[in-house]
Amino acid sequence: MNIETLCVQAGYDPGKGEPMQPPITQSTTFKYETSAQMGSLFDLEESGYFYSRLANPTVDRVAEQIAILEGGVGALLLSCGQNANFLACLNICEAGDHMVSAIGLYGGTFNLFNTTFPKMGIEVTFVDQNASEEEIAAAFRPNTKLLFGETVTNPTVDVLDIEKFARVAHAHGVPLIVDNTFPTPVNCRPIEWGADIVTHSTTKYMDGHGVAIGGAIVDSGNFPWNHYAERYPGLCTPDESYHGLIYTDRFGKAAYITKINTQLMRDLGGVQSPQNAFYLHLGLQTLHLRMARHCESALKVARFLQAHPDVKWVSYPGLESDSQHEAAQKYMPKGSCGVMAFALKGGRDFAIKFMDSLRLITIETHVADCHTCVLHPASHTHRQLSDEQLRAAGVDPDLIRLSIGLEYADDILDDIQQAIDAAKK
């Protein structure tokens, strides 16, 4: 079926007399008739539900829907997108390991990799995603476990060359993990271009209404873990916490995602609540419609900004003159997302006055939902970064991130114009 149909139908197939929307199973635990039944679940010998920190019917149905949308063998829903990226990496990294990441990342992800992971003994080397394959390959070490990037970077709106990153990762025997939050599977399916693991902040477009924080990890099932068994002992050697179970032997293509669910979720938590999963399901049903409108309006706003005499520059992959346009046409021919970056003439102070003068567009930490919103990364999401780190990540001090919502486009343009006029006074 086409992606539009999958958004509505995938993951839940009600039978006779059953509800059309998946029920919210708001229960922490589940009843069994014998001790042996429960024991089989704890030993991973049978599938079923016994505690909602590990599995819940509502959460599982929506996870299956996202796995189908991305073309993976399985998925997990988590408490937030940050937790998704954390567990996606921690599932195959431990103290003494190394990973390589594109430097153009959301500020929270950069801080996770740059500050928190080293405290856990995991070293991260950052590379320019626009560098050559040889330059990226030079960052790899014998103990490198993965390569990471964002399909469309937040907030610089650069497009990842997924095929290039996949070639480098696979040449070194490691998986490529791609955060696909901004395009969503409606506009880009990284697995089809060589990505092995896909992550999402479902809080953004997938939810679409700013009501439920969440994250997702999707496993393609394509990476040959057993070919690199010495590099990934957590997947390919016995797990003594499960009586010597070997994930790749027992679960095959779903070994990676099963290990996160049964081991990391067991030990660290971070599951998405059934209520939030239900909200997410409702958002997914209209995702294909909303993404089309976001992209249509964003292109109109980007063209307005590009032609405006008070705008220094604008970055949006949909613009024909944009440096990312060719890559966007390759990976996202239907459109990238509704997020863009731009700068006003007059510098940082003028940018702040502009933002404070907006009436329709809101200043908020969020991005990628039905409301048009704006943020100054250097003052907000990336304020922990030094000026040198900001420049390395492509975040100029005067960069403004603008997320186009579902309002009438001309009303958005009017608000931008009046705010510019007000800032000049």
Side-chain angles (χ1 to χ4, degrees):
M1 291 184 285
N2 290 310
I3 195 77
E4 293 83 356
T5 303
L6 293 175
C7 283
V8 179
Q9 297 279 359
Y12 180 58
D13 184 19
K16 180 181 179 181
E18 293 182 338
M20 285 300 297
Q21 298 292 349
I24 303 171
T25 305
Q26 195 67 48
S27 181
T28 60
T29 54
F30 303 83
K31 177 184 176 181
Y32 287 88
E33 296 175 347
T34 69
S35 175
Q37 291 173 341
M38 183 70 77
S40 295
L41 293 171
F42 274 94
D43 285 343
L44 305 183
E45 293 174 352
E46 295 183 17
S47 61
Y49 301 99
F50 54 95
Y51 196 52
S52 280
R53 192 178 84 226
L54 295 176
N56 173 280
T58 307
V59 177
D60 279 1
R61 286 178 180 130
V62 184
E64 182 183 357
Q65 184 177 13
I66 293 176
I68 293 170
L69 290 173
E70 283 287 8
V73 298
L76 285 175
L77 299 188
L78 299 105
S79 59
C80 63
Q82 188 78 330
N83 196 35
N85 284 336
F86 173 57
L87 294 188
C89 298
L90 192 65
N91 196 40
I92 50 177
C93 289
E94 58 186 40
D97 287 339
H98 173 257
M99 52 182 275
V100 178
S101 172
I103 196 169
L105 300 173
Y106 162 65
T109 306
F110 179 86
N111 197 62
L112 170 67
F113 292 174
N114 189 61
T115 303
T116 302
F117 271 4
K119 293 178 181 178
M120 301 172 65
I122 302 170
E123 192 173 352
V124 183
T125 298
F126 295 97
V127 297
D128 180 354
Q129 68 184 47
N130 296 315
S132 67
E133 293 186 33
E134 292 74 21
E135 291 173 307
I136 297 171
F140 280 71
R141 304 174 186 173
N143 62 335
T144 301
K145 293 296 184 72
L146 65 92
L147 178 60
F148 187 96
E150 294 179 358
T151 315
V152 176
T153 59
N154 178 5
T156 53
V157 209
D158 289 333
V159 177
L160 183 72
D161 188 341
I162 304 172
E163 283 192 315
K164 178 180 74 174
F165 262 53
R167 283 194 300 270
V168 175
H170 297 159
H172 289 82
V174 307
L176 171 62
I177 300 179
V178 173
D179 185 330
N180 196 37
T181 295
F182 273 2
T184 81
V186 169
N187 284 346
C188 183
R189 287 160 56 99
I191 291 172
E192 295 179 352
W193 298 100
D196 300 289
I197 312 295
V198 174
T199 63
H200 285 276
S201 170
T202 63
T203 317
K204 309 305 190 294
Y205 287 120
M206 282 187 167
D207 168 88
H209 302 84
V211 296
I213 289 178
I217 303 173
V218 182
D219 182 1
S220 71
N222 293 333
F223 191 79
W225 304 106
N226 276 330
H227 290 183
Y228 308 99
E230 292 184 0
R231 184 173 293 152
Y232 301 105
L235 288 164
C236 304
T237 60
D239 181 353
E240 297 307 324
S241 69
Y242 280 111
H243 310 294
L245 174 148
I246 299 174
Y247 291 97
T248 51
D249 289 352
R250 176 74 67 85
F251 301 104
K253 286 182 172 292
Y256 171 91
I257 201 72
T258 302
K259 179 175 178 290
I260 295 179
N261 189 26
T262 59
Q263 187 188 85
L264 296 187
M265 298 284 279
R266 176 198 64 191
D267 296 345
L268 301 175
V271 69
Q272 189 170 133
S273 73
Q275 188 76 42
N276 280 6
F278 178 79
Y279 293 143
L280 174 57
H281 171 71
L282 295 182
L284 290 171
Q285 289 183 317
T286 61
L287 180 61
H288 58 296
L289 300 174
R290 292 184 286 105
M291 289 306 295
R293 177 61 179 265
H294 284 299
C295 292
E296 177 187 359
S297 295
L299 183 57
K300 185 172 184 177
V301 173
R303 286 173 174 162
F304 170 83
L305 292 172
Q306 187 179 46
H308 200 288
D310 293 307
V311 174
K312 185 191 301 184
W313 56 263
V314 58
S315 176
Y316 184 66
L319 292 172
E320 292 81 357
S321 59
D322 193 89
S323 62
Q324 305 297 308
H325 184 69
E326 183 177 350
Q329 288 296 104
K330 173 181 177 179
Y331 294 113
M332 295 165 282
K334 293 191 294 185
S336 58
C337 61
V339 181
M340 65 189 68
F342 72 100
L344 293 167
K345 296 175 182 177
R348 184 168 181 165
D349 291 340
F350 187 77
I352 297 299
K353 290 180 182 178
F354 161 77
M355 291 171 60
D356 290 346
S357 300
L358 292 165
R359 297 171 184 168
L360 170 70
I361 302 169
T362 56
I363 302 172
E364 55 178 292
T365 305
H366 205 224
V367 66
D369 70 16
C370 59
H371 298 90
T372 297
C373 56
V374 68
L375 186 104
H376 185 240
S379 300
H380 305 139
T381 55
H382 287 61
R383 67 181 299 119
Q384 296 90 350
L385 275 62
S386 66
D387 287 347
E388 182 179 342
Q389 289 173 327
L390 282 170
R391 285 190 291 270
V395 181
D396 293 337
D398 56 358
L399 182 150
I400 298 171
R401 185 186 72 185
L402 178 62
S403 177
I404 304 302
L406 300 179
E407 303 92 346
Y408 189 62
D410 286 351
D411 290 336
I412 298 171
L413 298 181
D414 289 344
D415 193 37
I416 293 172
Q417 184 60 61
Q418 71 81 21
I420 291 175
D421 294 340
K424 289 180 177 180
K425 296 177 182 178

